[in-house]
Amino acid sequence: MNKEFTSDAAAAAVRQARFGRLPERIRFEDMTQEVEVEKGGGATSYNPEGSWQHYSCLAFDLGL
């Protein structure tokens, strides 16, 4: 068992020498961004009547 501990400690030392420290943790506030949205949705809003224009189906494309 002492031999395992020695090899684990040696492996940890090798990892530390090769990779060093982990980078600092990124705060959640730095990962998110707030964006103002137009009232009414604008050009990117969902249009159920026009949604068929963007339908993708291989059988439909091949005319089957």
Side-chain angles (χ1 to χ4, degrees):
M1 180 147 180
N2 195 12
K3 186 176 183 180
E4 281 184 26
F5 179 72
T6 305
S7 64
D8 289 343
V14 169
R15 278 194 305 276
Q16 179 67 28
R18 182 174 179 190
F19 299 111
R21 292 184 45 202
L22 291 173
E24 295 297 322
R25 174 167 259 171
I26 299 173
R27 297 182 317 151
F28 180 75
E29 293 82 20
D30 295 336
M31 292 188 283
T32 58
Q33 178 181 7
E34 292 183 11
V35 178
E36 293 293 326
V37 180
E38 296 178 13
K39 188 172 183 175
T44 59
S45 65
Y46 176 68
N47 178 9
E49 304 238 346
S51 64
W52 65 271
Q53 295 172 349
H54 303 287
Y55 181 71
S56 178
C57 175
L58 181 60
F60 183 72
D61 292 341
L62 295 175
L64 300 176

